Amino acid sequence: MNQVQVHSLFTDFDIDLFKAGKHFRLYEKLGAHLTEVNGVKGVYFAVWAPSARSVSVVGDFNYWIQGEHLLNVRWDSSGIWEGFIPGVDKGTTYKYKIQSNNGGIITEKADPFALYCEHPPQTASVIWDLDYKWKDKKWMDTRKDKNGLDKPFSVYEVHLGSWRRNSEGNFLTYLEMADQLVDYVKETGFTHVEFMPVMEYPYDPSWGYQLVGYFAPTSRFGKPQDFMVLVDKLHQAGIGVILDWVPSHFPEDAHGLGFFDGSNLYEHPDRRKGFHPDWKSLVFNYGRNEVRSFLISNAIFWLHQYHVDGLRVDAVASMLYLDYSRKEGEWEPNIYGGRENLDTISFLKDFNEAVYADFPDVQTIAEESTSFPMVSRPTFIGGLGFGMKWMMGWMHDTLQYFKKEPIYRRFHQNDLTFSMTYAFTENFMLPLSHDEVVYGKHSILGRMPGDEWQKFANLRLLYGYMFTHPGTNLLFMGAEFGQSSEWAFEGSLDWHLLQFGYHDGIKKCITDLNALYKNNPALYEKQFHADGFEWINYSDSENAVLSYIRKGNNEKENLIVVANFTPVVRENYRIGLPTKGKLTQIFNSDATEYGGSGVVMTKPIKIDKAPWNYKEYSAELVLPPLGVSVYKIS
């Protein structure tokens, strides 16, 4: 006898929206929901499986026996199976046992909308709720003032499993991170934390980028409410939270989304579009409306239920191009003969429109590594609608430049200046991310040339240049104190390095750069606009020196930046200036407290009425070796 009662949370309008790809709160309908029917407590289950012949809920409560609790298929051809099972309670483990119409294949699947999952390697879903009393009202009410494109964005990228381990070498829990990470980020001055994927994933070496539980924070570090505490405490400390979101691909694990109901339900049925050759994973069918509803609902879910302030969208380039990582003959052009995936373009526009319609005070950020046009431009003028885009070209060119011995840098100044030719075509975020410190690339410090002093001076110079370059910033954990070795996901950062002066100096330098960035509107008010930047001299390649002006809304707050990319102290170095007055140095990466040589200018410098660099005024400076200096005019 079937013990499932007929019950539904769906209205006809819900079904119409779902089929049209416009239902963006599916998590309120599909999945497992603790509820009460006719005075009886239990769980309402609903799952999308249009190619199923039957769907059973199996779990602890029925000894995992198929057929004991058969769901009812809806009459409206939506492919949704649903029903109410009385007596099932929070904490119960369960899966869906699906018998397919396609040859009678039987699969056992985790719930795509599960709110909580068993600790890997266990794979069942867990009945849960999201009851939590948030304490971040002040942040949520005012985050538009912290999260806008004309506000400082200094992002600390974190892998939860390897930021720090406890004394036994085990993961820190979400609650332990809520104490230790919040204090650390506040101390160092970052404005936002970006978490590498927190959604449930089966395989640690994937770093979280192979998801099976899109709606569940991984149980490795605690319960869903524990993750809420971490977000809540970051907000209470005035720190925004960005999540890595992976709508580009998913693994073929037996309990996951792949071949869900015996058919290619979530993945594209054509392997040329539905399989990713690099990651050996499946690719979503972006042209299927129900899949679009699933993905966009997932994005909205984290913003709505977990108060997240931004989504960094992974691997956008792999989604946009039909020939991505494919050889000739392994892909099929679109209807116009091009290589662009038109379904993806349409999906990304819908995603960004849906996010910003409901949450105008958040940001979406694209990891997009090509020159695809208008990624961070509004959809109403033909853009994809993202708030920002990672500036991969800047990252590549800058790290290539810094690897070179200073004596050769005069031949490669274009590696630095080229970024300014396209810096304002998008709203760019400058990333030094986890991808740059793995697979034999060395740590960021490890790429710097020279002896120990020069390596650390180069690193401080790189960061000073980065923080004064137009755009927002992102640093992967460990870079802020000069991690020596490559990132190892199975361990902890090398926190013991902070006992050494050079490493502690890098941390102090980053802390002061974050303060410089946040306290000077010239560095953020026009960070995405050409009128926020002006070269003083970009052509002094012989000395390997760059000088430029950063501008905000008030020209009296403009900053002068001079960077010397060689270990030679430049005495009597003259730069042109737009106005008379005095120059006061407000930052110098060569300061002794950072581990520098102390070539700093403690007294104001008089600006002369002497034309230079095509400007009416000028001043003579002493440039520190491998150093960047920032000045105000008064």
Side-chain angles (χ1 to χ4, degrees), residues 300-347:
I300 297 293
F301 170 82
W302 293 99
L303 300 168
H304 175 211
Q305 299 289 352
Y306 284 87
H307 290 202
V308 168
D309 307 296
L311 296 170
R312 176 265 192 187
V313 183
D314 182 60
V316 172
S318 75
M319 300 166 65
L320 285 172
Y321 295 101
L322 296 166
D323 63 345
Y324 187 91
S325 282
R326 289 177 170 83
K327 300 173 185 174
E328 189 174 347
E330 294 179 347
W331 63 282
E332 183 180 45
N334 62 36
I335 58 173
Y336 303 111
R339 53 197 280 259
E340 297 80 15
N341 188 325
L342 303 180
D343 288 337
T344 293
I345 293 169
S346 170
F347 160 71

Side-chain angles (χ1 to χ4, degrees), residues 361-405:
D361 53 352
V362 305
Q363 294 296 339
T364 61
I365 305 162
E367 186 217 5
E368 202 288 305
S369 55
T370 75
S371 56
F372 192 93
M374 301 178 70
V375 171
S376 57
R377 295 293 178 259
T379 58
F380 60 79
I381 61 169
L384 293 183
F386 285 93
M388 292 181 235
K389 168 181 168 171
W390 275 18
M391 198 176 191
M392 307 295 275
W394 171 88
M395 176 274 298
H396 179 268
D397 291 346
T398 300
L399 291 180
Q400 280 292 108
Y401 179 88
F402 271 87
K403 278 172 58 178
K404 294 177 172 64
E405 291 287 347

